[in-house]
């Protein structure tokens, strides 16, 4: 299972095109990102809170696609959350993030922001 393409507003994973932000769980299952968790706190989905990452807790590495322009940022609390669990995080603009995810081996997960 791998990413195949991304453009503003979409990403293709394992042959399926998604028109919304996604989570790729360590088992390869894809779910829609629960960005209302961030929106309810900050009024924007461009800040990533620990509650969104809890769905990826079993991963050793989490790739964060920060959007086509890289606007999605981890909050300090999210950074502390992954650090306290010993999870490696790779934040990068979404086109770069999907390439990085495809190169990785092991227990990996991804959170992919498809717009800005």
């Amino acid at each position: 299972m791998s990413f195949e393409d991304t453009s503003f507003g979409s990403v293709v994973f394992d042959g399926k095109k998604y028109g919304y932000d996604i989570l790729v769980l360590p088992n390869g299952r894809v779910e829609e990102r629960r960005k209302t968790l961030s929106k309810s706190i900050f009024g924007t989905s461009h800040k990533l809170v620990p509650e969104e990452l809890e769905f990826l807790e079993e991963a050793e590495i989490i790739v964060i696609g920060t959007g086509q322009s890289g606007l999605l940022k981890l909050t300090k609390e999210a950074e502390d959350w992954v650090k306290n669990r010993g999870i490696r995080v790779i934040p990068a603009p979404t086109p770069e993030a999907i390439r990085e995810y495809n190169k990785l081996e092991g227990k990996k997960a991804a959170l992919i922001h498809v717009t800005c």
Side-chain angles (χ1 to χ4, degrees):
M1 294 185 201
S2 63
F3 286 99
E4 295 152 34
D5 193 24
T6 186
S7 60
F8 191 89
S10 68
V11 66
V12 180
F13 182 79
D14 199 28
K16 183 172 179 190
K17 185 175 183 176
Y18 297 89
Y20 47 83
D21 294 1
I22 63 169
L23 303 174
V24 179
L25 305 180
N27 65 8
R29 194 173 83 230
V30 175
E31 295 185 4
E32 186 170 353
R33 177 184 167 211
R34 294 159 182 88
K35 58 187 177 181
T36 55
L37 295 170
S38 295
K39 253 186 179 171
S40 67
I41 297 169
F42 298 105
T44 179
S45 61
H46 288 143
K47 293 187 180 187
L48 192 55
V49 295
E51 292 82 359
E52 288 191 70
L53 297 173
E54 289 175 359
F55 302 100
L56 308 174
E57 188 169 20
E58 294 180 21
E60 295 170 355
I61 303 167
I62 300 174
V63 176
I64 308 287
T66 59
Q68 303 300 320
S69 304
L71 291 184
L72 178 68
K73 305 291 184 208
L74 276 80
T75 61
K76 172 77 169 100
E77 294 81 8
E79 290 175 0
D80 290 344
W81 186 90
V82 292
K83 183 179 178 185
N84 291 339
R85 284 159 180 75
I87 300 171
R88 180 177 163 211
V89 174
I90 303 172
T94 296
E96 182 182 330
I98 67 170
R99 287 191 297 273
E100 187 63 31
Y101 178 92
N102 289 345
K103 291 191 281 185
L104 293 170
E105 298 291 328
K107 210 169 182 183
K108 61 186 178 178
L111 184 150
I112 303 296
H113 182 55
V114 296
T115 57
C116 34

